[in-house]
Amino acid sequence: MRKNLRSAKGIVMGALFLLGGGAASLVYMAIKALGDRLREGREVPEEQLRALREEVWKGVWNADVGAYLSHSPLIFIALFKATLWFIPFLTLMIGFEQIAGDLQHRTIRYTAIRARRSSLVAGKALAIWAVVAILLLALHLFVWLVTLLRGDATLMETLSWGPRMWAFSAVFTAAYAGMTILASSLTRRPILSLFVGMIMFSSLWVLDVSVDVVHALDNEKYRWFEYVGFAIPDWYEVWLVSPKPAEVVGAIVNLLAFGVGTTALASYIVNRRDV
Amino acid sequence: MKEATTFAVSVRGVTKRFGATIALNDVSFDIESGACFGLIGPNGAGKTTAFSIIAGFLHPDEGMALVLDHDARATDMLQARLSVLPQDALLPAHETVGEFLVHLAKLQGIAGGKAEHEARLALKEVDGADWWTRRCGKLSHGMAKRVGLAQAFLGNPEVVLLDEPTAGLDPRIAFEIRTLIKKRKGGCTLIISSHNLHELEEICDAAAIMDHGHVVAAGSMEELTAAAKEIRIVVASTPLPMDAIRAIPGISRADFDKKERVLSVHFEDFQGEAEDMIAQVLRVLLDANVKISALAKGKGLERRVMELTD
């Protein structure tokens, strides 16, 4: 983990995350300023703003979630949603060479003779997860600070919604850390692993969009396809932000299971292969 | 009571294929505990494959390799007991030498503070104490080889595999590494793969000669080089008293290669030690005023390998 954070790639990623946090804050500030100008000094009742937030989150997820999240500061939920978009890419960038790089240069020979290969793979998956979670925390902290300084949310709101959204992002990352380590274990060439990971993640994204489209079509004939969603980590984001605790727990369990399952598969592959 | 291990390594009927190529074909040999054993052979003979199977890096397609009575891939059982200096594995470029060695020490079960102590000790042993904070990627080839050797000897493992430990090194560093390896002799089972036959003849007690994926000869160095059965004397002057030499009791054959100026004396049935025979032959030669340039026991590993391999 320390190696990742200290490497040129880790530093660049860290800088990108902070820039991302800065950009997110700037975009939010710009939207807020535009809204203020459009209102031309007129005070908008909080209830109207809440209704607007509800409509937005209902559109993104569903009515229950919309109603639940309408009471939260917009910036934290928007940041969470934005974070989910780039977590797969960032996790892949951080981790694609973790196993493939060691196989390519045979550095794994120094470690494989001393520790079980499954332990090495699990350690690397955890390291990827921890690094991305720490970088996410840096990004989220930046936004919390700006939000507090600008007075866009109270301290209580920030402490209530901010860490929660970061924790959900971190849980979401677990699934992608596992899939990244799986992609990395499939080839001896980091660049190929990167392509494999990109193909894997793109396929999941296409599947997720397809499930959404089928859901929107509301056609009984294709209803079965919606069950494919259960096999896609992205599908569980709606459960993560659900007002129902059982769904939140279900999302956490499933996303962690994705991470553990794919890491176990990577361990099996590395265990079977010649190094 | 724990049963004593007779063989540190047993390779039993191992076959390994890479696609259509058979790298090892039903290979078997044993290595006694505490021995210094050489794996010898030309390029493509299967040395590195055999080595990698013993280290657990490769799966044999048939047969098995036992290390300290355990399957070579039983990492849990062999943790800290088996180590390797791989020939072509790069050190992690971004880690410092200290971090790398401490990490490996911890992986093999040496606890926190002691891990650093052991790592520093291993690095000191290869004369690399000053490199602790250097990045592995910044080390020269010779320095990297020594760091590789330090990690191989970390925590005093029982079996150490050294794959081409002096390959690509200048003679001075190669000599220093040979000295380091010799210092370890007797303290653990050493298995060395090398192209440098003089080096192996100098260091090893026993060896297996491989060719085209087969073991073509195996045994003690003395057996392999026929050191107890043959002497070779390079002479600077002739004629030689061949009849007098052949008349020495115990000598079965004596030949003189005029071109090479080498006198070969064979004594397969001689019951005494080779040194006694050397004394008798030298006495005859000196009595005949023959000038002697050099003398060697046996035919030398290099000649033996040339005879046995294509």
Side-chain angles (χ1 to χ4, degrees), chain A residues 2-3 6-7 105-117 120 270-275, chain B residues 16 52 56-59 73 75-76 79 82 84 86 88-92 95 99-100 104 107-108 151:
Chain A
R2 200 174 47 183
K3 191 173 75 180
R6 275 191 343 196
S7 67
H105 300 303
R106 298 196 171 166
T107 311
I108 196 168
R109 291 189 162 195
Y110 293 112
T111 48
I113 201 159
R114 291 176 162 88
R116 266 181 283 169
R117 294 185 194 180
L120 297 174
V270 173
N271 223 19
R272 295 289 305 164
R273 78 180 313 155
D274 291 338
V275 299
Chain B
K16 178 71 184 174
S52 300
F57 299 146
L58 303 181
H59 293 266
R73 292 176 53 85
T75 316
D76 284 349
Q79 189 189 36
L82 168 68
V84 64
D88 46 5
L90 296 185
L91 300 174
E95 285 182 34
E99 285 167 352
F100 172 62
L104 296 186
L107 273 184
Q108 66 187 58
Q151 66 79 33

Side-chain angles (χ1 to χ4, degrees), chain B residues 233-265:
Chain B
I233 301 167
V234 183
V235 296
S237 65
T238 49
L240 298 183
M242 294 304 291
D243 290 341
I245 291 168
R246 287 184 183 120
I248 296 171
I251 287 184
S252 56
R253 206 174 89 226
D255 306 307
F256 181 61
D257 181 337
K258 282 183 186 163
K259 196 175 164 198
E260 301 280 332
R261 305 182 77 81
V262 174
L263 169 67
S264 307
V265 181

